[in-house]
Structure formats: C-alpha cells, structure tokens
Amino acid sequence: MLLVNTRTKWFAENKPAKFGSAPFSIPPRTKSHSTLFVFAIFIVLTGCDAKTNQGQFELDLFSSVFFGDISVTQGESTSATVLINRHVNKSRFSQNINMSLIDPPGWLSYKIKENPVKGTTSAIKFDIGQDAKPGIYRLVLYGVGNANNSVIEDSITFHLIVEKAKHDKDATNASFIIRKKLFSLLKLG
C-alpha cells in the first residue's frame, strides 16, 4: 500500500497539465518575442521576391468606346489596343510577352498582332461569328513571359458585348420585289 500512497502524494504535489494545454508551455513573454521573430523572418523573405529582379508587367485593354468593354455586332469584326506597362514596382520587364484569350467561345476567333509582343502596345482583332448569341460575355486576356527561368504573368478581364445584327429593310424589300416579279412571270407563261 505504500506504493499507492506515494503515487497519490506525487500527483498531489505535481499537478498534471489541464486538458488541452501543452506539457511544455512557453512563457507569455517569450511567446510574444518568438512570434515577432517569426513574423520578421517572414517579412524579410517575402521582401526578397525573385520576381522583382526580373521585372513585372501589367496589361490593359483599350477600345474606341471604353476601357474594358468592347462592343460588336453579330457577324462583324472589331479591334482593340492592348497596352502593356513594363515598368512595375520600380523594375522593367524586357522579355517578350505571349498573349492569348482564356477559353474563348467557339464563335469567336481572334488574332493578336506580332504575338509574342516585344513592345508596349499590340492590337487584337475579334471576328464574331454570325451564330454568336447576343449578350455580354466575360473574357480574359492572359499574358505570360519568362525571365531568368521565372514565369511572369498578368491577365485582364473585359466584356465583349455582342449586339444583334440589324435586319436590312432594303434587302427584304428587294427580295420581295424579285419574288413578286417571278410570280407575275409565272402567271403570264
């Protein structure tokens, strides 16, 4: 029985940690200093971003109507200018930039002038199919470049507004006149 009393006495003198607390607690003062140390290391490491040495770029899209919105009629074409800011965060991106649309609809074909782009501007031409459904479509222009084995990228979201093709009254009237003359010839013969 002496063993049981010794164990009880030891537990009474050395209370176990409460449920959910760590057996090796860090004093609050040390904990705050270690948190600050870890935070400072994190800031230093993120400040040493490798991309800043290679430069960065930003894309923008300009059409004759508005920034970011391009309006076109079914079955027609339109163009927009791609503006490239190669001086971002006090650095310069000097490499070529390959651009493309991400997941364009099947009725849309496009061509980017001189792709990959070497300068600060380019042009993109949109050819809209006759089968395009009128509406507002959200598209993404994506640009990517490679500098010192690092991928540098940017994208811009814009809206393509497809308007319904206007019905040509003159073509309808001409068709009606031709049909009327054909019927009149059939009655004569």
Side-chain angles (χ1 to χ4, degrees):
M1 286 295 205
L2 184 59
L3 186 58
V4 173
N5 288 337
T6 306
R7 188 171 20 163
T8 307
K9 184 179 177 184
W10 184 85
F11 276 115
E13 291 173 1
N14 302 304
K15 293 182 180 178
K18 293 180 181 176
F19 179 74
S21 66
F24 301 105
S25 297
I26 299 174
R29 179 181 234 182
T30 308
K31 186 186 285 186
S32 66
H33 291 305
S34 62
T35 303
L36 285 174
F37 178 75
V38 170
F39 182 72
I41 294 296
F42 174 76
I43 293 297
V44 168
L45 291 177
T46 56
C48 297
D49 185 7
K51 289 183 180 180
T52 58
N53 295 335
Q54 286 83 11
Q56 294 175 320
F57 64 89
E58 291 177 349
L59 300 177
D60 207 347
L61 196 64
F62 179 75
S63 69
S64 60
V65 183
F66 298 107
F67 272 94
D69 289 338
I70 300 169
S71 184
V72 64
T73 304
Q74 290 172 313
E76 294 185 7
S77 298
T78 190
S79 294
T81 302
V82 180
L83 304 173
I84 304 167
N85 179 5
R86 290 180 174 268
H87 297 276
V88 178
N89 295 331
K90 298 180 182 179
S91 65
R92 174 157 169 49
F93 186 79
S94 58
Q95 304 300 319
N96 293 343
I97 301 169
N98 193 7
M99 290 190 283
S100 61
L101 287 181
I102 295 177
D103 198 23
W107 45 261
L108 171 66
S109 61
Y110 69 95
K111 182 172 174 137
I112 299 171
K113 185 178 181 182
E114 298 176 16
N115 198 17
V117 180
K118 298 174 186 172
T120 57
T121 61
S122 186
I124 182 169
K125 181 181 179 189
F126 301 96
D127 293 316
I128 310 303
Q130 191 69 33
D131 59 337
K133 184 177 177 185
I136 300 174
Y137 297 89
R138 185 176 174 178
L139 299 173
V140 177
L141 178 65
Y142 175 73
V144 63
N146 187 343
N148 298 332
N149 294 324
S150 293
V151 173
I152 311 296
E153 57 189 358
D154 190 38
S155 63
I156 182 166
T157 301
F158 65 97
H159 295 103
L160 183 66
I161 303 166
V162 178
E163 298 173 355
K164 186 174 182 169
K166 294 174 177 61
H167 195 62
D168 190 359
K169 290 183 181 181
D170 292 335
T172 305
N173 288 340
S175 174
F176 180 72
I177 292 170
I178 292 171
R179 213 174 326 147
K180 187 176 176 182
K181 286 190 178 192
L182 280 174
F183 282 126
S184 67
L185 288 174
L186 289 173
K187 289 183 182 178
L188 293 176

